[in-house]
DNA sequence: CCCGGATGTTAGCGAGCGTTAACGTGATGA
DNA sequence: TCATCACGTTAACGCTCGCTAACATCCGGG
C-alpha cells in the first residue's frame, strides 16, 4: 500500500482538479472528459471513483461546509473571550479563503446545482456556521440587532471571499500581507456595529 | 408608438428576465425556452430580438459595467472633496447592488462565458471602474499603498455585493436600513487604511 | 385592398455531454 | 495457476439544447 498513491489519494486528486475546473468555468461549463484529462485518465474512468459528476460537486460542497463549521466551532470553543473568538473566526475564514480559493468560489456559486437532499444539507451546515458567527458578533457588539449582526456577518464573508476575484496576478500582496489586510478590513467593518444608531458621516476635517 | 410596449421595451423585458434566470441558475443552467416562457413567448421567438443566448449575456454584462463606470465617474466629478466622492461611490454602488441584484451577481460570476472580444471589453470597463475607486481611496487614505488600496476596494465590492446572498427572506432589513448598514460597514472597513502600519488587535477591555 | 415588415409559432437538425456497456490488464493471494 | 479485484480503455446510446427553416398572423400605409 503506497500511502501517496492509494485509492483515497486518487479520489482527492480528482476532487482537487474538479474543484479548480468548476471554479474556473462553472459546473455546467466543464465536461467529465476535461476532469479526467486533468488527472491523467480519460472520461468515463472517473466513474470508478464517483457515481457521477453531481456526486463530485456534492462531495466538494458538503466537505467545505462541514470543514468550515467544524473549524469555526472549535475556534469558538477554545476561548471564553468573545473578542478573541471573533478574531479567531476571522483569521480562520481568511486562511480558508486564501488557501482554498476554488472551494470558496464554488461554495456560494454552484449550490443550486445539487440534488435537493444535498443542497439541504449544505444549507444547514452553512446556516449553522453563520449562527456561530452571529452569536459571537452579538456578544462583542451587544448594541447591534439580530438582523444587523446577520447582515454584517454576510457582508464580512463577502469581504473576505473577495480574495479569489483578484486573480493570481503579480499585483496582489503576498499571503501574509493579504491576510493581515483582510483582517483589518473585517475588524474595521464590524467595529461600526458598536456605534450609536444614527451613525455619522465621515468627517471631512482630517 | 406606445412608449410602454414598444420594441425596445420588449428587449428590455427579455434582458430583465434573462438576468434573473441567469443569476438564479447560471448561464448554462438556463435554456432559451425558459427565457422565452418568462416573457410569454416560446423558445426561438427570442431570435427576433437577439442574435443568440450569448448576445443576451454580453449585452447584460457590458451594460452593467458601462453603467457602473459612467455613474461612478459622474459622482466623482461632481465634487472636489475626496471624502464626499468616496461616500458617493459607496452609496452609488450600494444602490446598484440592492436594486439590480441579478446583474451584480452575473457581473462577477459569468464573465468567462463571453466571447473573447466582449470579455475584454467588460474587463476593461471593470478595471477603469476599480481605478476610479482606487484613485479616490488613495486621496482619502494617502498612507495606504497602491496594492493595499486596490485589495481594499475589491474587498469593499465583495462586502457590498454580499446583499444578494441574503435571499429575499423576511429576515432581511428594509432597503433604507440595509443601505445604511452597508455604508457604515464599508466606511468602517476603509477607515482602517488610515491607521499606522502595525495594526493593533481589537482591545479586549470594552 | 393588399403589400410588407415586425413578431410569433412549430418542426427538426446537429452537436455536445453524461452515462453505460463491454472489454483489457496487471497485481494479489489462495 | 488461475480466479479476483482494482482500475482503465473505447464505443455508443440517449437526451438536452442552441439554433435554423418554414410557415402564420397582425397591422399600418399607399
Amino acid at each position: 500500500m503506497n500511502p501517496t498513491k492509494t485509492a483515497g489519494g486518487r479520489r482527492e486528486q480528482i476532487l482537487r482538479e474538479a474543484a479548480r475546473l468548476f471554479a474556473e468555468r462553472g459546473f455546467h461549463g466543464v465536461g467529465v472528459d476535461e476532469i479526467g484529462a486533468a488527472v491523467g485518465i480519460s472520461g468515463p474512468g472517473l466513474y470508478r471513483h464517483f457515481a457521477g459528476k453531481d456526486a463530485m460537486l456534492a462531495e466538494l460542497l458538503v466537505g467545505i461546509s462541514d470543514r468550515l463549521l467544524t473549524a469555526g466551532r472549535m475556534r469558538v470553543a477554545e476561548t471564553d473571550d468573545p473578542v478573541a473568538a471573533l478574531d479567531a473566526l476571522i483569521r480562520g475564514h481568511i486562511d480558508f479563503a486564501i488557501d482554498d480559493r476554488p472551494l470558496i468560489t464554488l461554495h456560494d456559486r454552484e449550490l443550486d446545482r445539487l440534488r435537493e437532499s444535498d443542497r439541504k444539507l449544505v444549507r444547514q451546515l452553512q446556516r449553522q456556521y453563520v449562527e456561530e458567527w452571529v452569536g459571537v458578533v452579538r456578544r462583542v457588539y451587544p448594541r447591534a440587532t439580530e438582523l444587523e449582526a446577520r447582515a454584517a456577518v454576510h457582508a464580512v464573508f463577502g469581504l473576505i471571499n473577495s480574495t479569489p476575484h483578484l486573480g493570481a496576478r503579480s499585483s496582489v500582496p503576498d499571503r501574509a500581507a493579504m491576510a493581515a489586510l483582510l483582517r483589518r478590513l473585517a475588524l474595521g467593518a464590524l467595529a461600526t456595529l458598536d456605534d450609536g444608531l444614527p451613525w455619522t458621516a465621515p468627517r471631512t476635517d482630517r
Side-chain angles (χ1 to χ4, degrees), chain A residues 111 114-125 127:
Chain A
L111 179 59
L114 258 51
R115 300 199 337 266
E116 171 76 14
S117 61
D118 291 323
R119 192 171 54 235
K120 239 176 165 168
L121 172 57
V122 171
R123 268 203 232 275
Q124 180 183 333
L125 293 169
R127 189 157 35 84

Side-chain angles (χ1 to χ4, degrees), chain A residues 10-32:
Chain A
R10 189 58 143 176
R11 273 180 67 90
E12 288 170 18
Q13 182 193 14
I14 293 171
L15 285 176
R16 215 169 31 241
E17 295 302 313
R20 185 179 54 82
L21 289 168
F22 288 161
E24 281 174 7
R25 300 209 285 282
F27 179 69
H28 290 296
V30 177
V32 290

Side-chain angles (χ1 to χ4, degrees), chain A residues 65-86:
Chain A
S65 306
D66 190 64
R67 266 154 52 208
L68 268 177
L69 174 60
T70 301
R73 279 185 170 154
M74 203 187 63
R75 289 172 199 274
V76 170
E78 270 173 357
T79 175
D80 282 339
D81 178 15
V83 173
L86 180 56

